[in-house]
């Protein structure tokens, strides 16, 4: 019964540390300074820890959500990567994924991206957080990503785990955005 669009619109854009307000989304899309959604920002920080420059690298983003996929595309374009947006309706999705130097899985389907979808040596950023049944786990459940981690790491040059990869970076970027918003509000220069 809560309209998320009304909730987001009610937030002052300068205080929108999640980066979801249409003003921040528009500023990001046009290349202006903005508070950026935390998960995509964390993804960029992670991939830049492996690649000093993303310029000219082929990036494939599987997922087109307003929270992760679309802002991630804008950030990658800002880094001069060549970007393909893929999704559930993409024809021959495994072949599209195999082209990627940088593969971002943000689709919300447990272990959908398998080893054969990954170009050898590619950097794989798994944004997914999915709970699956696992009788061997104490709770009978286990947390997995959108990538079949155990098999994918055999071919990936670098890969993020789930849990422990993008999640902690998202929290760190929320703190970065909070600090940026506070500095801006106080008139302190932002680095």
């Amino acid at each position: 019964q809560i309209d998320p669009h009304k909730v987001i619109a009610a937030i002052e854009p300068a205080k929108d540390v999640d980066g979801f307000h249409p003003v921040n989304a528009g500023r990001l899309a046009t290349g202006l300074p903005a508070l950026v959604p935390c998960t995509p920002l964390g993804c960029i920080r992670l991939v830049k820890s492996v690649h000093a420059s993303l310029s000219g690298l082929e990036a494939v983003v599987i997922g087109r959500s307003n929270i992760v996929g679309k802002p991630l595309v804008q950030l990658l374009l800002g880094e001069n990567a060549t970007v393909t947006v893929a999704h559930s309706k993409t024809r021959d999705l495994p072949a599209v994924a195999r082209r990627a130097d940088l593969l971002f899985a943000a689709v919300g389907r447990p272990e959908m991206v398998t080893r054969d979808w990954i170009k050898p040596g590619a950097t794989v950023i798994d944004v997914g957080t999915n709970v699956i049944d696992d009788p061997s786990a104490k709770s009978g459940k286990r947390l997995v990503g959108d990538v079949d981690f155990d098999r994918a790491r055999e071919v990936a040059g670098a890969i993020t785990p789930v849990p422990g990869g993008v999640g902690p970076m998202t929290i760190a970027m929320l703190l970065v955005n909070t600090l940026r918003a506070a500095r801006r509000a106080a008139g302190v220069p932002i680095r």
Side-chain angles (χ1 to χ4, degrees):
Q1 296 180 359
I2 296 173
D3 182 346
H5 301 292
K6 285 184 181 179
V7 172
I8 291 170
I11 297 169
E12 171 64 39
K15 295 179 181 180
D16 173 33
V17 296
D18 286 314
F20 298 156
H21 193 282
V23 168
N24 283 316
R27 291 180 68 82
L28 174 62
T30 57
L32 294 171
L35 289 169
V36 176
C38 304
T39 300
L41 191 58
C43 290
I44 294 297
R45 291 276 179 104
L46 283 166
V47 81
K48 288 182 83 174
S49 73
V50 177
H51 303 276
S53 171
L54 308 186
S55 185
L57 295 179
E58 184 155 358
V60 172
V61 177
I62 305 173
R64 55 185 167 177
S65 72
N66 291 332
I67 294 172
V68 179
K70 290 176 186 176
L72 180 55
V73 166
Q74 295 301 323
L75 291 170
L76 288 163
L77 290 170
E79 294 288 336
N80 296 314
T82 301
V83 184
T84 300
V85 181
H87 46 78
S88 61
K89 305 295 185 212
T90 299
R91 289 186 187 160
D92 200 359
L93 185 53
V96 172
R98 269 191 299 277
R99 296 190 328 235
D101 301 308
L102 312 171
L103 181 60
F104 300 86
V107 69
R109 293 189 185 169
E111 301 178 326
M112 181 177 119
V113 177
T114 59
R115 180 185 198 275
D116 61 315
W117 289 33
I118 299 168
K119 177 181 179 179
T123 299
V124 180
I125 306 295
D126 190 349
V127 182
T129 304
N130 308 285
V131 178
I132 62 168
D133 292 326
D134 183 353
S136 68
K138 282 184 186 179
S139 68
K141 305 279 184 190
R142 183 167 49 98
L143 190 63
V144 298
D146 291 347
V147 178
D148 180 358
F149 180 82
D150 290 334
R151 285 161 197 77
R153 72 180 183 174
E154 295 170 358
V155 295
I159 186 170
T160 58
V162 174
V166 173
M169 282 303 294
T170 297
I171 295 166
M173 296 302 99
L174 181 60
L175 294 172
V176 166
N177 276 354
T178 302
L179 181 59
R180 285 181 177 156
R183 290 176 72 104
R184 188 174 292 128
V188 177
I190 300 170
R191 296 180 236 175

